Amino acid sequence: MRAQVHEAALELLGADPPEEVTIPRVAELAGVHQATVYRRWGNVAGLVDEVVAGRLGEVAPIPDTGTLRGDLELAAVRFAEAIAPLGTTMMRAAALAAPTAEAPVALRTRADQLQAMLDRAAARGEKTPTIAELLEGITAPLYLHPLFFGRPADADHARELVRRLLVYVEADRASP
């Protein structure tokens, strides 16, 4: 049942404006009773948030290559690739969640995973950005690239974002 509801939500979000995606429509397309969907997810924003978080975890797991540069490059490239089919859905999910005061689970989960990657690098003695610097320097540009340029960022662009962030971190952490 969960998989059918997730697929139905993705299908509707890919085709319709966010305000037209409703629990009754998702339930009908998934072939389940809407009360079941309301009980499990509460609202469309909660459902879409779970869908996006699950998809990102599946297609863009956080790597552990042994170096911060390697981890960031692989994570950024995977993330750029994952955003290609999910870009519009992710932006619509953000629009649905905007009225709430709390960041979507998908973003909080990803930030926690990235923080663990930064913590590993710091434990190895590497200079690391803060989680805010990483999100602002790599994640946000990758999320927004499809919106501004009509296509997802490619692997070369993802690696360039990593390079820029690491240059900034090196220069910033070197100054007294």
Side-chain angles (χ1 to χ4, degrees), residues 37-109:
V37 180
Y38 278 116
R39 235 184 344 269
R40 176 139 184 171
W41 290 282
N43 57 38
V44 174
L47 168 61
V48 173
D49 190 21
E50 180 182 292
V51 170
V52 171
R55 288 294 168 106
L56 282 178
E58 290 169 14
V59 297
I62 301 297
D64 186 358
T65 65
T67 68
L68 180 60
R69 177 176 296 279
D71 289 351
L72 287 174
E73 283 184 355
L74 188 53
V77 169
R78 285 179 178 170
F79 194 61
E81 291 168 352
I83 289 173
L86 289 177
T88 302
T89 301
M90 291 166 76
M91 297 309 282
R92 289 180 178 185
L96 287 168
T100 67
E102 200 170 281
V105 172
L107 297 179
R108 289 192 321 263
T109 300

Side-chain angles (χ1 to χ4, degrees), residues 34 79 93 148 170:
Q34 60 185 295
F79 194 61
F148 290 122
E170 189 64 37

Side-chain angles (χ1 to χ4, degrees), residues 1-8 32 40-41 47 50-51 54 58:
M1 182 274 305
R2 185 172 175 257
Q4 295 98 304
V5 172
H6 280 200
E7 289 304 318
V32 300
R40 176 139 184 171
W41 290 282
L47 168 61
E50 180 182 292
V51 170
E58 290 169 14

Side-chain angles (χ1 to χ4, degrees), residues 63-161:
D64 186 358
T65 65
T67 68
L68 180 60
R69 177 176 296 279
D71 289 351
L72 287 174
E73 283 184 355
L74 188 53
V77 169
R78 285 179 178 170
F79 194 61
E81 291 168 352
I83 289 173
L86 289 177
T88 302
T89 301
M90 291 166 76
M91 297 309 282
R92 289 180 178 185
L96 287 168
T100 67
E102 200 170 281
V105 172
L107 297 179
R108 289 192 321 263
T109 300
R110 186 51 107 193
D112 290 346
Q113 293 167 343
L114 291 169
Q115 184 61 59
M117 179 178 59
L118 295 176
D119 293 345
R120 284 193 312 264
R124 290 189 300 261
E126 295 180 78
K127 293 178 185 175
T128 62
T130 65
I131 190 64
E133 290 167 338
L134 191 153
L135 294 172
E136 290 172 358
I138 298 174
T139 306
L142 291 175
Y143 263 117
L144 295 173
H145 201 277
L147 182 66
F148 290 122
F149 301 105
R151 59 180 165 60
D154 62 17
D156 288 337
H157 185 72
R159 283 190 282 277
E160 176 60 17
L161 292 172

Side-chain angles (χ1 to χ4, degrees), residues 163-176:
R163 187 195 68 74
R164 289 179 197 166
L165 178 62
L166 293 178
V167 165
Y168 165 78
V169 167
E170 189 64 37
D172 185 61
R173 304 310 185 264
S175 52

